[in-house]
Amino acid sequence: MNQAIAGKVVIITGASSGLGEATARHLAALGASVVLAARRMDLLNAIAEEITAAGGQAAIVQTDVTQASEVQNLVDTARAVFGKVDVLVNNAGLMAIAPIDALKVEEWERMIDINIKGVLYGIAAALPLFRAQGSGHFINISSVAGAKVFSPGGTVYSGTKFAVRAISEGLRHEVGGAIRTTTILPGAVATELPSGSSHAESAAGLKEFYKQAIPADAVARAVAYAIEQPDGVDINEIVLRPTVQEF
């Protein structure tokens, strides 16, 4: 239990695995009420059941972040169940690595839809509520590829993660005051993210690269650190990576 986190209501997208799952479990153990959002209901159910069996509070909402109406429903449901929303963790993401010459246009569009539009839809759904409450916290998951272009292969992915960083900084400047904005830029973390690449050579390279990956709960702890700060403190960016990672 953490007194600065206990009682907070936290929505987490992409919560069926990886960073989202680890964050949900960690925050629930610290006393937060968590709302898990993803498309895979079987996984969400299993995670929520384990959280509640351990004495935590969890709700689930099937959500495709590429659909603005579903993200709005997520926020509305969280408020209906728990009476408020304190934090929205925009975590859902896709990493489809391939050279530009491979012309994976459909994958480019999918990354833009999930990584950029998904974040914007979350902001659009939660911001009016945060304004009405007079408080709120956006935590947007970018990547070290949002600080340095991951090339060759990750050019479009980096473009989406640079966008998340830019949107977050603009959001921080525009809403400020009682609403906090944090961007987290992880390096190689053990999740399903590398499996998003259909380009065989790139997928093989990622498999080798991710041998250095750190556990997902490292990011969960970073999220908790940002949340637990006093109301007047806004942790704007956290960059974390394996100590051996050069990129």
Side-chain angles (χ1 to χ4, degrees):
M1 190 71 66
N2 180 310
Q3 292 304 314
I5 292 177
K8 288 189 179 293
V9 177
V10 184
I11 298 173
I12 305 161
T13 66
S16 60
S17 66
L19 303 186
E21 177 185 354
T23 299
R25 292 182 184 278
H26 185 60
L27 295 180
L30 294 177
S33 297
V34 294
V35 181
L36 286 64
R39 292 174 299 164
R40 296 177 293 182
M41 285 295 285
D42 55 335
L43 297 180
L44 291 183
N45 272 309
I47 296 164
E49 286 174 4
E50 291 178 13
I51 288 173
T52 54
Q57 296 287 326
I60 62 173
V61 183
Q62 187 171 36
T63 308
D64 179 348
V65 299
T66 69
Q67 304 300 312
S69 61
E70 294 192 21
V71 180
Q72 184 65 59
N73 176 66
L74 166 64
V75 172
D76 291 346
T77 301
R79 184 187 185 188
V81 172
F82 293 113
K84 62 174 182 172
V85 176
D86 295 295
V87 184
L88 170 61
V89 182
N90 282 309
N91 165 72
L94 172 66
M95 183 174 69
I97 302 301
I100 289 286
D101 282 343
L103 300 179
K104 300 278 189 177
V105 177
E106 290 185 3
E107 292 182 0
W108 299 349
E109 292 175 343
R110 190 70 176 154
M111 283 191 285
I112 290 168
D113 286 346
I114 296 172
N115 300 354
I116 302 177
K117 290 183 179 179
V119 170
L120 289 170
Y121 293 158
I123 293 168
L127 184 55
L129 176 57
F130 287 174
R131 289 287 199 197
Q133 292 177 164
S135 65
H137 192 171
F138 291 103
I139 300 181
N140 300 327
I141 306 300
S142 179
S143 167
V144 294
K148 180 180 179 181
V149 176
F150 183 30
S151 173
T155 300
V156 177
Y157 176 70
S158 282
T160 66
K161 291 303 185 176
F162 268 80
V164 171
R165 194 180 184 194
I167 290 164
S168 299
E169 174 59 13
L171 178 67
R172 179 200 67 79
H173 183 244
E174 289 193 34
V175 303
I179 299 174
R180 302 192 292 184
T181 302
T182 301
T183 312
I184 298 183
L185 298 86
V189 178
T191 69
E192 295 179 351
L193 200 61
S195 65
S197 298
S198 65
H199 185 262
E201 185 177 346
S202 296
L206 281 174
K207 184 177 181 180
E208 185 66 26
F209 180 78
Y210 270 80
K211 287 181 178 179
Q212 65 189 325
I214 55 178
D217 62 5
V219 179
R221 291 193 300 272
V223 171
Y225 173 74
I227 295 172
E228 70 186 2
Q229 300 306 307
D231 290 342
V233 177
D234 193 359
I235 302 297
N236 301 133
E237 283 196 347
I238 299 175
V239 182
L240 69 155
R241 53 165 69 84
T243 54
V244 298
Q245 182 177 336
E246 295 181 0
F247 169 74

